[in-house]
Structure formats: structure tokens, C-alpha cells
Amino acid sequence: RERTGHMDLFGMLLWVRERKWIGYAIAFVVPFLGIAVRFAIAGELTGYPFVTFFPPILLAAALGGRWPGAVSSVLSALLADYFISEPHNLNLPWPIGWIGMGAFFIVAATMVLFIDYAILAGQRVTKATALLRTLNARLEERVADRTRELTMMTAQLREEIRTKENAETQLRQMQKMQALGQLTSGIAH
């Protein structure tokens, strides 16, 4: 595997994703970080109860996958409804509270699915790249083997051509000598 920052980061991401319990642990912890950030900058975000929960949801989806992302989304929604939305309980006002919560779930689900599919596509690309490297190495071996074979065959053909040319030269020389012998024998008679 290449030792670039991208491959190391992606490799670590896949390592975490293979250990499902880590993803679910992250999914349960990061919404509380979102609510903590929300309380820290509460005055700046009036009217946007869910904004601080999107980064934690993205993190849970990236590190855990689709289901930890969904768990983080539900927990974020419950925390936002209980601590941020008026009244401070799990009773959403009709219709604006339900519309806001529905929009939050649509955006959260879209983010979770997008991140999950992007990482799955990255895995496929990584596997395809590894397969391509393997096939290229095999092809290079085959080309090298075939080149050696052709080089040996070319050398053999050149040697055969030289042998044939030498034989033809000797044959011509012998034919000349035979013709000269016939000529001198004809003159002698």
C-alpha cells in the first residue's frame, strides 16, 4: 500500500469502520459534543437549533457508517428537541416543530447516505486500484517473458541465417571449383 497521507487516513478510517463498536460509541458521544458547542455559542445561533449537530453526524457516519450515522441523527434530534426547542421537553409544537424536525432528518439522512456511499466508493476504488496494480505487474512479467523469448528466437534466427549464408558461400565455392574442374578436364581431353 502506498504510504501517502490520503491512503493512511483512509486506511485508518476503514480500520475504525471495521470495528462497529467504535462507530456506535462515537455515534453516542458526538451529539453531546454538538449540544455542548451549541450551549457555548448559543447567542450566535438563535433560530438554528440543529446547526451544531451536523458535524457530529458527519463524523459518526464517516467513522461508523450508515447505522451509527442514523443513531447519531436520532440522538441529535432528541437532544435538540429537549434542550433547545421551546418548550424544553420531547413535545414538538405543531406544525413548525414537526416541519423543522422533518427537514433536519431529511438533511441528516442525505448527509449520512452521501458519506457512507462516498466511503464505500472509496473502498471500491482502493480494491480496483490494487487489482489493477496486480494485473499490471502480471502483464509486465508476461511482456518481459515474451520479450526474452523473442530475443532468443531472433538470436537463433540470426545464427541460422549466418549458417545458411556460410553454407551457400561454401556451396558456390564448391560449384565454382567443380565447374573449373570440368572445364580443365574438358580441355585435357
Side-chain angles (χ1 to χ4, degrees):
R1 184 195 309 207
E2 288 182 24
R3 301 299 279 164
T4 63
H6 175 269
M7 291 302 286
D8 288 347
L9 182 62
F10 193 67
M12 288 188 303
L13 178 81
L14 295 179
W15 182 87
V16 170
R17 278 182 146 232
E18 289 170 358
R19 286 140 187 88
K20 294 292 185 188
W21 66 271
I22 295 174
Y24 283 104
I26 290 169
F28 280 108
V29 170
V30 293
F32 290 99
L33 295 175
I35 196 78
V37 168
R38 174 61 188 214
F39 287 145
I41 57 173
E44 305 297 322
L45 299 173
T46 304
Y48 304 101
F50 301 110
V51 128
T52 58
F53 293 103
F54 291 128
I57 291 169
L58 286 172
L59 184 63
L63 295 175
R66 182 178 310 149
W67 294 112
V71 167
S72 182
S73 298
V74 170
L75 188 54
S76 294
L78 291 173
L79 288 171
D81 183 40
Y82 189 79
F83 289 108
I84 299 169
S85 298
E86 296 288 336
H88 294 298
N89 57 24
L90 293 177
N91 188 12
L92 290 172
W94 179 259
I96 194 71
W98 286 94
I99 292 171
M101 188 63 73
F104 170 75
F105 275 119
I106 290 171
V107 171
T110 302
M111 289 182 344
V112 166
L113 291 175
F114 178 77
I115 291 294
D116 192 50
Y117 285 126
I119 290 173
L120 291 175
Q123 285 177 304
R124 285 188 215 111
V125 166
T126 301
K127 288 178 184 177
T129 301
L131 179 61
L132 184 61
R133 284 189 184 126
T134 302
L135 293 175
N136 279 340
R138 286 183 190 164
L139 181 60
E140 287 175 7
E141 288 174 14
R142 288 179 63 190
V143 166
D145 290 344
R146 187 67 179 144
T147 301
R148 275 192 297 278
E149 289 175 15
L150 290 173
T151 302
M152 289 174 34
M153 290 173 62
T154 302
Q156 286 176 341
L157 285 173
R158 286 185 178 153
E159 184 60 34
E160 288 176 11
I161 289 171
R162 274 195 294 274
T163 303
K164 181 183 168 205
E165 287 174 347
N166 288 341
E168 287 174 351
T169 302
Q170 288 177 355
L171 179 62
R172 278 194 298 274
Q173 192 65 29
M174 289 175 22
Q175 286 174 341
K176 287 179 189 176
M177 295 301 268
Q178 182 183 10
L180 187 62
Q182 286 177 351
L183 182 64
T184 53
S185 113
I187 293 177
H189 284 319

